[in-house]
């Protein structure tokens, strides 16, 4: 089941051979990851919106956390979402 990430907000590449948008995680988690990746793209980071935790998404998350002056962990929680949602796009 696809997530409801808007194509206008997200660059959604083909997952590629042997990969699916929720491989190794539940559908809801994959959708949350896609939503975060779409927001990262809106903020100017170039990440694949595929619902997968990958090094590119982690690096962009850490950069976003640094800019937002929150604890840099590479993990998305409330303290990461809230400042990102308020920053200019």
């Amino acid at each position: 089941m696809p997530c409801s990430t808007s194509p206008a907000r997200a660059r959604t590449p083909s997952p590629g051979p042997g990969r699916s948008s929720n491989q190794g995680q539940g559908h809801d988690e994959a959708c949350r990851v896609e939503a975060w990746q779409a927001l990262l793209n809106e903020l100017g980071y170039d990440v694949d919106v595929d619902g997968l935790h990958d090094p590119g998404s982690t690096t962009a998350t850490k950069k976003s956390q640094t800019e937002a002056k929150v604890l840099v962990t590479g993990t998305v929680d409330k303290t990461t979402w809230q400042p990102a949602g308020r920053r200019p796009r």
Side-chain angles (χ1 to χ4, degrees), residues 12-80:
T12 54
S14 167
R19 291 176 63 191
S20 68
S21 64
N22 62 353
Q23 183 177 0
Q25 58 194 18
H27 177 74
D28 289 344
E29 176 67 12
C31 289
R32 284 189 290 272
V33 172
E34 280 189 21
W36 175 250
Q37 290 168 329
L39 179 57
L40 285 172
N41 277 326
E42 286 183 13
L43 294 171
Y45 300 98
D46 184 27
V47 297
D48 291 338
V49 179
D50 56 12
L52 298 174
H53 296 282
D54 61 18
S57 294
T58 300
T59 298
T61 297
K62 287 180 177 181
K63 289 179 181 178
S64 173
Q65 290 169 328
T66 299
E67 290 180 15
K69 295 180 175 61
V70 298
L71 181 64
V72 178
T73 62
T75 302
V76 180
D77 58 16
K78 285 183 187 178
T79 60
T80 301

Side-chain angles (χ1 to χ4, degrees), residues 4-12:
S4 61
T5 305
S6 166
R9 293 181 54 200
R11 183 173 53 89
T12 54

